[in-house]
Amino acid sequence: MGMKGKVALGAVVGFVVIGAVSMNAGNDGGDGDKPAGGTGSSASAGQKPGAGEDKGTAEAAEEKKAAFDGDGEFQVGSDIKPGTYRTTGNADGMCYWERAKDASGETDSILANDNVTGASYVTVKPGDKLFKSTGCHDWEAVDAGAKGTPATAMKGDGGMFKVGADIAPGTYRSTGNTDDSCYWERTKDAGHSVDSIIANNNVSGSAVVTISASDAYFKTSGCKDWKKTG
């Protein structure tokens, strides 16, 4: 499996340090011939406690930890819990996130980061100290048990799709790509490290990739729309 092109280490805060280019799913889940943008695999934290419950304060605290703003710096363990979160509907790579091992603000503190168009899933780990988010839509905790109708087509610049929830496994094709601007990536988790990558490629012309049912996520950036062919 070749590590190509955009799997590289960078150095400037605000740009990707570990992982690939910005890519991450858009808003609406699709089915059949509608390109998906990421379907219902996250849980909104906006639910309110039932009437008469004596847990208002505790539940409000839980809600704060289950969903948080797209702009800010959050201490892991106090502001937000470890877990997997998703942001959707971001445009033009203006959303930037970062997992950090301390609050020094130095480049060496960055564990993983990305510039996002569309959606991104990120797993914040217990050893992380800080999660930074700039210019993103709000983050919501992913409900691992949530069900959706996996789509069989997806937007080529939609970003990050959860396999089995946002998109169905299978073989997909994207045509008409130019100048190696199409980048795709199969991943085994949402940690965004080089070790997360199962396979990836930069493509001109037609791109064909088989997404396995055992893959966790599929990323796509700068590609023409994908359609399932088998």
Side-chain angles (χ1 to χ4, degrees), residues 189-201:
D189 57 41
H192 295 268
S193 70
V194 172
D195 289 341
S196 299
I197 297 170
I198 298 169
N200 66 347
N201 206 0

Side-chain angles (χ1 to χ4, degrees), residues 65-76:
K65 293 175 184 177
F68 53 94
D69 290 343
D71 286 292
E73 297 184 352
F74 307 94
Q75 289 184 291
V76 179

Side-chain angles (χ1 to χ4, degrees), residues 68-93:
F68 53 94
D69 290 343
D71 286 292
E73 297 184 352
F74 307 94
Q75 289 184 291
V76 179
S78 56
D79 296 327
I80 61 172
K81 289 181 175 180
T84 300
Y85 297 87
R86 185 179 77 160
T87 179
T88 63
N90 301 286
D92 302 325

Side-chain angles (χ1 to χ4, degrees), residues 29 38-43 86 142-151 162 164-167:
T39 57
S41 47
S42 71
R86 185 179 77 160
V142 171
D143 180 358
K147 303 295 182 183
T149 303
K162 186 173 177 61
D166 299 333
I167 55 166

Side-chain angles (χ1 to χ4, degrees), residues 30-117:
D31 58 351
D33 36 336
K34 286 188 179 179
T39 57
S41 47
S42 71
S44 171
Q47 298 174 2
K48 296 183 180 179
E53 289 189 288
D54 193 24
K55 303 190 273 186
T57 303
E59 291 195 8
E62 286 300 307
E63 289 174 8
K64 181 179 179 182
K65 293 175 184 177
F68 53 94
D69 290 343
D71 286 292
E73 297 184 352
F74 307 94
Q75 289 184 291
V76 179
S78 56
D79 296 327
I80 61 172
K81 289 181 175 180
T84 300
Y85 297 87
R86 185 179 77 160
T87 179
T88 63
N90 301 286
D92 302 325
M94 298 303 292
C95 166
Y96 171 80
W97 64 259
E98 177 183 307
R99 291 173 48 222
K101 63 184 179 182
D102 57 46
S104 69
E106 297 177 8
T107 301
D108 287 348
S109 72
I110 298 173
L111 297 169
N113 66 353
D114 206 357
N115 290 99
V116 178
T117 296

